[in-house]
Amino acid sequence: MPRYVSGIEEALPILGRADRILVIGCSGGGKSTLSRGLSSRLDLPYVSMDRDFFWPPGWAKRPKAEERALIAAKVAEERWIMHGTGASSFDLRLPRADLVVWVRVPRRICLWGLTCRVASSFGRVRADMAPGCPEQLPDREFLSYIWNFERRVSPLIVDRLGRYSPGMPVLQLRSRRDMGALVARLQGAVTVG
């Protein structure tokens, strides 16, 4: 069973000691923005699963064996912050992580985040995507994934946390305000190194 951290104050010393952090949650929830903020504050190399593992240029899906080999090589490194849920690779990532930050915002916030992302980036490649993968309109399958995330994916996350990293500290952030507060509190609150 994961060990849920009760809040930001309890999480600060854990973050200060963490060399490897997973940021997971539903698409559109703010994982990328949070991860970049944490990466900057904690001086951890930033890894985007979409950009670095899942999508080669041109939206060509990478073969699963190659994807897993890339993930295994990256998680073997000593320091990183990695954002992306990708439950099929939890067996590789969770045992190496020091902390999981679970962005668990309501689906309306995720859908709004996706809408804003598409509106601001449509036709252009975001920093979190591989070259040649411009932002597209979401299809029905992707919208269904967001709509059903809490019911379908969250139980799987809890199961995998218990299976691959029992006792792993997990900080759940349930609003954009919580995410902003965490990054702000890290300014000067954590001594890295």
Side-chain angles (χ1 to χ4, degrees), residues 40-94:
S40 173
R41 294 289 196 276
L42 298 170
D43 193 33
L44 290 172
Y46 171 69
V47 180
S48 164
M49 292 193 67
D50 282 337
R51 180 192 65 214
D52 299 319
F53 309 133
F54 294 156
W55 301 107
W59 290 109
K61 186 72 172 136
R62 190 180 306 277
K64 189 57 90 175
E66 182 182 336
E67 178 184 294
R68 285 184 61 82
L70 289 169
I71 293 169
K74 182 55 74 176
V75 299
E77 294 178 9
E78 287 305 310
R79 302 184 78 242
W80 42 261
I81 184 162
M82 184 180 298
H83 86 80
T85 303
S88 66
S89 64
F90 275 167
D91 62 315
L92 300 173
R93 297 183 298 137
L94 284 171

Side-chain angles (χ1 to χ4, degrees), residues 13 22 26 31 35 37 48 51 78 82 138 140 148 160-161:
L22 288 179
C26 186
K31 296 184 309 290
S35 297
S48 164
R51 180 192 65 214
E78 287 305 310
M82 184 180 298
R140 184 182 185 105
N148 294 299
R160 297 308 188 269
L161 284 166

Side-chain angles (χ1 to χ4, degrees), residues 4-8 100-104 150 158 170-175 178:
Y4 292 102
V5 177
S6 65
I8 291 171
V100 171
V101 178
W102 186 351
V103 174
R104 204 165 183 184
E150 191 61 32
V158 172
V170 177
L171 173 63
Q172 294 184 80
L173 298 173
R174 296 191 178 267
S175 70
D178 287 348

Side-chain angles (χ1 to χ4, degrees), residues 103-170:
V103 174
R104 204 165 183 184
V105 298
R107 77 172 147 215
R108 64 181 163 73
I109 301 298
C110 295
L111 290 168
W112 177 249
L114 175 64
T115 301
C116 292
R117 183 172 83 195
V118 170
S120 66
S121 302
F122 183 75
R124 294 189 307 279
V125 177
R126 293 181 289 118
D128 302 307
M129 291 303 295
C133 295
E135 188 68 34
Q136 303 173 358
L137 292 175
D139 61 14
R140 184 182 185 105
E141 181 180 346
F142 190 52
L143 292 172
S144 176
Y145 173 79
I146 293 173
W147 188 261
N148 294 299
F149 186 89
E150 191 61 32
R151 183 172 54 85
R152 291 183 183 163
V153 181
S154 292
L156 181 66
I157 291 171
V158 172
D159 175 72
R160 297 308 188 269
L161 284 166
R163 183 182 305 179
Y164 299 120
S165 286
M168 167 73 66
V170 177

